[in-house]
Amino acid sequence: MSAPAVHDWSLRSWREKEALQQPTYPDDASLQEALDHVSALPPLVTSWEVEHLKTELARAANGERFLLQGGECAESFGDCRADTITSRLKILMQMSLVLTYGLNTRVVRVGRFAGQYAKPRSSDTETRNGTTLPSYRGDIINDPAFAPEARHPDPQRMVEAYASSSLTLNLVRALTEGGFADLRHPEYWDLDFVQHSPLADEYHAIADAIGDTIDFLETVTDEEIDSVEGVTFYTSHEALLLPYEEALSRTVPHKAGVYNLGTHLPWVGKRTNQPNKAHVEYARGIENPVGLKVGPAMTPSRLKTLIRTLDPEDEPGKLMLISRLGADAIGDKLPPLLQAVQATGQSVLWIADPMHGNTEKTDAGIKTRRFENVLGELEQAMDIHAAEGSHLGGVHFELTGEDVTECIGGARGLSEADLGRAYESHVDPRLNYEQSMEMAFSIVRKHRRLHD
């Protein structure tokens, strides 16, 4: 059951607050036309799915589930292709297989896809060779090409974002609810790395062990286990472009409140998580579970205020806190934040995002992340939660199933010189498929060391 609707909130009350990180559309009439169009389109997800995810997140907060959230830093319309979508699913399926087996816990799979088209930026403008243009804010707003017509905010891109989200979600559902996700056939998820990766033998040993277990159970029961044939994937994205989020937020029959039916799990980012601003105002009133990015500038008192604001009823599964503090800062920053949350007595789901606090630029100006820093923050998070009597219930990665070279390090020892070989991201660097799998195995090893 969902919590009672918030009585001092309306779907448009965010408009009375300052809204950060929003584009300036030059034509109000065109903007309203696009929003009216999106508002009339069918929902992308259902309230039943949202409520089921909320139940799963409550279980993760209690240690009965482990959440794996991963996908693109920013989706592009050009990547709305079957091969790209399938490769994302494959790496997330492989990671969840390793985590399920290694942690002995059911994994909740949440993709950063089917809606992750808007990105916050540190500056409203970008200057190259003396020319200044609006910053690229994601395909839902403008185009990454450095040209005046490309960087012009276009409201019709919201309609295209809806269409791409719908197509992506349609394929995800078709694959994960059918034979593609069958645990009897993990070879369906194979990416090229299994032919040459140092992790291949370890991964195949896990897949074989699971297959043998399923065969044994089906033999002794003389029945097929239907539950291994499909899995549930949930969608998530940063609820950044508020007019678009409002257009996809609806009331539903026989349930109180308003649901964002454009995604299962929206989150509020580090740059927009001020308690008195528009994004928190929007997020506090919807029935969806909500994520909150917790960065190094977060103070214990402000975090307490945000918890009371976003989850005043202490509803199980409602609030997910996503720490992204940096490998150098987490040791000092995380313990007082955990203590502040424990002092509220409220149940929240903590997950670790070790990516965003560890972004750096090379001498050549290329954004990258070092695998050792990403892993270092994650392992410190696990240690600190254990020391504070808290529970880390999941992880959040920017990753891809493609053979990109955007993050330095990992088993193959990628260096700065390798970045130019296959650097494809227009925004943030992502773990490639092999680095992602290495991260999953590292989580399992660290968990075992903590619990042996």
Side-chain angles (χ1 to χ4, degrees):
M1 293 293 292
S2 61
V6 179
H7 296 295
D8 61 343
W9 177 91
S10 75
L11 183 52
R12 295 177 63 86
S13 62
W14 68 265
R15 295 176 178 270
E16 301 169 7
K17 308 280 187 177
E18 182 184 7
L20 304 177
Q21 296 286 333
Q22 303 301 289
T24 300
Y25 292 102
D27 186 344
D28 289 342
S30 296
L31 173 60
Q32 193 57 52
E33 180 183 358
L35 292 173
D36 289 344
H37 187 172
V38 173
S39 297
L41 293 170
L44 294 173
V45 305
T46 69
S47 60
W48 294 280
E49 293 170 334
V50 170
E51 292 296 338
H52 189 266
L53 174 59
K54 198 182 294 183
T55 299
E56 291 289 272
L57 297 182
R59 290 172 175 167
N62 291 331
E64 301 166 13
R65 299 285 189 271
F66 190 83
L67 183 141
L68 171 64
Q69 184 176 20
E72 295 294 321
C73 58
E75 292 177 280
S76 69
F77 296 157
D79 281 340
C80 186
R81 306 192 311 265
D83 57 342
T84 301
I85 297 167
T86 303
S87 71
R88 291 175 193 156
L89 284 182
K90 286 179 177 180
I91 188 59
L92 288 169
M93 287 294 295
Q94 289 181 337
M95 292 177 74
S96 66
L97 184 75
V98 171
L99 292 171
T100 300
Y101 185 83
L103 304 180
N104 195 27
T105 302
R106 291 185 63 175
V107 171
V108 182
R109 305 165 185 88
V110 178
R112 284 176 58 115
F113 50 54
Q116 182 60 12
Y117 290 109
K119 287 295 291 183
R121 304 315 302 265
S122 57
S123 174
D124 289 337
T125 60
E126 178 183 359
T127 300
R128 299 184 191 177
N129 300 321
T131 300
T132 299
L133 295 176
S135 294
Y136 170 61
R137 290 187 173 275
D139 276 14
I140 196 172
I141 294 169
N142 54 9
D143 191 275
F146 194 75
E149 62 276 11
R151 295 296 177 88
H152 179 77
D154 181 0
Q156 281 301 311
R157 284 179 165 269
M158 288 187 279
V159 179
E160 189 170 356
Y162 172 93
S164 295
S165 298
S166 179
L167 291 168
T168 299
L169 189 52
N170 182 64
L171 180 58
V172 169
R173 282 183 167 138
L175 289 171
T176 57
E177 294 174 6
F180 173 83
D182 194 331
L183 275 174
R184 300 181 190 88
H185 297 287
E187 69 274 10
Y188 294 168
W189 318 331
D190 279 357
L191 290 153
D192 290 342
F193 94 93
V194 298
Q195 305 300 324
H196 56 74
S197 171
L199 302 172
D201 291 343
E202 192 171 359
Y203 171 73
H204 281 138
I206 290 174
D208 290 343
I210 290 175
D212 291 344
T213 300
I214 293 172
D215 289 343
F216 172 77
L217 291 174
E218 290 184 338
T219 298
V220 298
T221 61
D222 199 26
E223 293 182 2
E224 287 197 353
I225 303 174
D226 295 336
S227 61
V228 303
E229 295 176 357
V231 300
T232 300
F233 258 92
Y234 298 99
T235 66
S236 67
H237 67 251
E238 182 175 356
L240 186 62
L241 185 57
L242 289 176
Y244 179 78
E245 303 300 331
E246 178 188 313
L248 285 171
S249 298
R250 321 275 171 86
T251 57
V252 298
H254 312 300
K255 290 182 180 177
V258 174
Y259 289 82
N260 183 329
L261 298 182
T263 187
H264 299 105
L265 177 58
W267 76 80
V268 178
K270 179 182 76 75
R271 290 190 173 96
T272 57
N273 65 7
Q274 298 82 358
N276 60 341
K277 297 290 195 292
H279 289 82
V280 170
E281 174 64 21
Y282 166 78
R284 77 181 182 93
I286 58 175
E287 296 297 319
N288 303 61
V290 172
L292 177 72
K293 286 292 187 84
V294 178
M298 183 68 71
T299 63
S301 61
R302 182 174 158 200
L303 184 55
K304 286 182 179 181
T305 298
L306 283 163
I307 290 172
R308 289 193 298 267
T309 302
L310 292 169
D311 185 22
E313 302 292 331
D314 191 16
E315 182 186 0
K318 173 64 179 180
L319 185 57
M320 181 171 75
L321 302 180
I322 311 166
S323 64
R324 35 93 71 234
L325 300 167
D328 293 337
I330 188 172
D332 293 328
K333 297 289 186 178
L334 185 57
L337 295 174
L338 295 182
Q339 293 160 15
V341 172
Q342 289 170 331
T344 69
Q346 290 196 215
S347 173
V348 302
L349 170 60
W350 278 100
I351 74 169
D353 167 8
M355 303 289 292
H356 285 86
N358 294 298
T359 307
E360 61 184 81
K361 283 190 176 182
T362 67
D363 292 340
I366 301 172
K367 289 175 76 173
T368 189
R369 290 159 175 158
R370 298 181 186 274
F371 184 90
E372 62 187 35
N373 291 338
V374 174
L375 180 58
E377 178 170 352
L378 178 56
E379 291 191 333
Q380 287 183 75
M382 297 174 75
D383 284 334
I384 294 167
H385 276 276
E388 294 292 335
S390 179
H391 175 69
L392 182 66
V395 288
H396 179 123
F397 295 118
E398 287 185 338
L399 55 79
T400 177
E402 306 300 320
D403 186 18
V404 300
T405 54
E406 297 171 1
C407 292
I408 295 171
R412 300 231 166 243
L414 294 181
S415 67
E416 288 188 23
D418 295 307
L419 297 179
R421 177 169 62 82
Y423 197 107
E424 299 176 4
S425 174
H426 293 299
V427 187
D428 291 336
R430 303 159 295 175
L431 299 173
N432 63 26
Y433 55 67
E434 190 169 59
Q435 291 167 328
S436 301
M437 284 299 292
E438 190 175 353
M439 200 63 67
F441 281 109
S442 297
I443 292 169
V444 169
R445 294 189 186 105
K446 181 64 175 180
H447 173 83
R448 288 175 175 171
R449 288 197 299 270
L450 285 171
H451 292 85
D452 281 349

